Structures are given as structure tokens and as C-alpha cells.
Amino acid sequence: MLLDEHPATLIHHTIGNFNIYPDKVAIGRINESLSTLQQARDLRIRESENALRKLSRNLQTLESQHKQTIASHNSTDHASQIVELDTQKFRIAKAASDLEIEGERLEQELDSLKSCLQQLDLQGVEGDDAMKAKREAEDPTLLKLKVYRCLGIDADPNSTGSYNKAIIRNAQRRDVHVVNIDTKFSRFFYADYLWQAL
């Protein structure tokens, strides 16, 4: 016989020398991992199927809306709307052009009025020299006052506009007299008095 020991004893010793418990635990862990992985795959498949169904419903809704839009679209109405919008665009452009022309006209008128205002400011309240001369020629009171001023006499009006006070300036004597004009004295008296004061 080749073997000294009985084959069953050898097999029994061989089985005893092998430690298969860690392998069993590893196989159990592998089986649990496979089970967990399968569950996760099933969950993801269900979620993907739900998302796919939702997208399919959205696609059907959008397709029906698209069909309704195409069915309700009328090319004649579209063309008429385009024509109407073009007409409005041309009206607005014409109105803008008219307003621009009117603005330029108003700017020219404003420049003209500014020029007139500047001339009037230069002339002053009484107007230019020609207007002053014309007014003075027409108003004898102004001529008399001008003669008095040339002589050094200023007539001072009161609140009613009548002249009841005369201020006499004598440049040679460097003197100023104020004379109150009263109606109880004659004009000859005041003329003589004023002439002497000069």
C-alpha cells in the first residue's frame, strides 16, 4: 500500500487543517453586498422609470400644445398683423419726423426771440436814443425838465406825480438849495428866486 495511513484519516486531517470559517464569513459579506447592490440598482431603476414616465407625460402635453398652436395659427391673421404693425411703424416715424421739424422751427424762433430780447435789454426800459428823442419831442413836460436839468435844477415829484420841490445845484459855489413850491406864491416869484439862486 502506498499510504501508511488510511485515506479517510488523511482526508479527516486535511479537512481539520483547512480553516474555512473566514472564507464563509467573506462569502456571507459578499452575498450581503450583492444583495444591497441589487436593491440599490432596483431603486435607481424605479426612479429612472418614474422620471421617464414624467418626461413622457410632459412630452405628450407639449406635443398636444404644439398641435393646438399649429391648428389655431392662421397665416392670414399673421400677415394682417404684420401689415398693421408696419403701418403703425410708418405713422410713428412720420410723427417723429414732423416733431423734429417742428422742434427745429421752434429753436429758430427761440433764437430770434433771444436776439430781440438782447436788443431790448441793450436799449433799456426807455428804449434806444431814437425812441427817447421821439418821446421827449412829443412830451413838453420832459422838455421843460431837461432844460431845468441843464440849468442845474432837478424837479422832485411827490407821490401823486406833481412837482412841488426843486433841488438847485450851483457848481460854482458848490452849494445845494431845496425849494418847496407852494401855490400861494406866483410863478414870477419862483422864477426870480430860482434865477438868483443860480
Side-chain angles (χ1 to χ4, degrees), residues 134-184:
K134 184 178 179 183
R135 274 199 309 276
E136 289 174 358
E138 292 173 355
D139 192 352
T141 306
L142 290 175
L143 288 175
K144 289 178 187 177
L145 290 173
K146 191 170 185 181
V147 170
Y148 289 143
R149 278 193 205 110
C150 290
L151 293 173
I153 301 170
D154 287 332
D156 190 20
N158 62 8
S159 59
T160 62
S162 61
Y163 296 95
N164 60 356
K165 190 186 290 184
I167 301 170
I168 304 166
R169 292 181 178 85
N170 192 331
Q172 292 175 353
R173 295 185 209 165
R174 294 183 181 173
D175 194 12
V176 176
H177 290 291
V178 178
V179 179
N180 289 321
I181 309 285
D182 196 352
T183 55
K184 63 183 179 180

Side-chain angles (χ1 to χ4, degrees), residues 6-18:
H6 192 270
T9 304
L10 286 174
I11 292 173
H12 180 67
H13 285 300
T14 304
I15 291 172
N17 288 331
F18 280 113

